[in-house]
Amino acid sequence: WNYETTAQFKIVREIKESMCFVSMDYRKDMEDSPTKEWREKNEKPYTLPDGNVMVLGTERFRAPETIFQPSLAGKEVPGVHRLTYNSIMECDLDVRKDLWENIIISGGSTTFENFPKRLLKELKTLAPSSIDVKVVAIEDRKNAVFNGAAMLASLSPFQNSWITKAEFEENGESIVHRKLSLIHISEPTRRYAISYAVSCLKKK
């Protein structure tokens, strides 16, 4: 199966969101996958728009596994659990306990079946034994970042940073730099926000 167009990638996204799950024990699932018992339990059919049917087996958990083991996709970067650990350890010692006990996940990929449980399992192997690691997974976490940003943008103190289409057309990209300079965010986040805002305003 080759997927190259936007419409085809939309199909891939639908397959990912409706069929995939995170394995709690990747090695064991890979070892058990050739067995009849495993296939009967885990293989699922997916009907494509053209009527063809594909049967998904190990693909259902091998794709999400790259979140924890990026090396499976040829990426030399840490998995999400290791990135979380690194972030906490870079913070001051006196706040680490609170961070370990309040790990909030959001975004579409966190809605994979078993994702919160697997993340918790991996983090417990990294955290100090005296820490009670907690992963908070709210029901609407897929849209949590958008909802949070929308709430922030609706607050009156933030409204001075709004950029209208007319302002952008009159001032160009300089208006984005000027208004975002008023917001206290990290420099990498600022650069990303400017790039994203400019791209959105140009599309309108």
Side-chain angles (χ1 to χ4, degrees):
W1 306 90
N2 294 317
Y3 295 93
E4 299 176 350
T5 67
T6 301
Q8 289 170 334
F9 275 109
K10 185 176 180 180
I11 296 172
V12 173
R13 185 181 300 112
E14 165 61 25
I15 294 173
K16 181 194 80 168
E17 294 178 354
S18 64
M19 304 291 286
C20 288
F21 68 93
V22 171
S23 171
M24 292 300 294
D25 189 333
Y26 179 76
R27 181 176 296 179
K28 185 175 187 304
D29 272 324
M30 287 298 295
E31 291 174 351
D32 293 347
S33 61
T35 66
K36 179 180 179 181
E37 181 181 2
W38 189 95
R39 293 200 308 270
E40 289 178 347
K41 180 181 178 181
N42 294 285
E43 287 186 348
K44 303 289 183 184
Y46 182 87
T47 304
L48 296 165
D50 61 5
N52 285 318
V53 177
M54 62 165 57
V55 177
L56 300 173
T58 59
E59 299 87 355
R60 296 182 62 215
F61 67 87
R62 283 165 55 204
E65 185 64 24
T66 58
I67 299 174
F68 295 91
Q69 298 190 67
S71 60
L72 296 175
K75 305 294 183 181
E76 296 183 4
V77 294
V80 65
H81 56 297
R82 177 62 66 172
L83 289 172
T84 303
Y85 169 81
N86 291 345
S87 297
I88 293 175
M89 297 307 291
E90 287 179 4
C91 294
D92 292 338
L93 184 62
D94 58 349
V95 301
R96 290 179 190 172
K97 182 176 184 294
D98 288 335
L99 293 175
W100 280 116
E101 295 177 354
N102 294 277
I103 298 171
I104 302 173
I105 59 176
S106 65
S109 293
T110 68
T111 61
F112 284 132
E113 180 184 349
N114 293 335
F115 181 92
K117 294 179 181 178
R118 171 68 181 280
L119 180 60
L120 179 62
K121 174 186 175 182
E122 298 292 349
L123 289 175
K124 283 185 173 181
T125 66
L126 300 173
S129 58
S130 59
I131 297 293
D132 182 20
V133 181
K134 293 180 181 177
V135 173
V136 180
I138 62 172
E139 185 174 348
D140 190 31
R141 61 185 178 274
K142 180 178 180 179
N143 302 310
V145 173
F146 174 83
N147 292 338
M151 291 174 62
L152 177 63
S154 68
L155 299 176
S156 55
F158 196 85
Q159 291 175 12
N160 291 331
S161 298
W162 289 4
I163 303 170
T164 65
K165 178 67 171 176
E167 286 178 318
F168 184 76
E169 291 177 343
E170 179 181 350
N171 300 279
E173 296 183 15
S174 64
I175 188 67
V176 181
H177 291 265
R178 187 161 68 248
K179 290 213 171 184
L180 282 180
S181 67
L182 303 175
I183 305 174
H184 299 292
I185 54 179
S186 67
E187 190 55 34
T189 301
R190 188 187 311 282
R191 289 198 297 268
Y192 174 80
I194 289 173
S195 175
Y196 182 73
V198 169
S199 66
C200 289
L201 287 164
K202 283 182 176 179
K203 292 177 182 178
K204 293 185 177 180

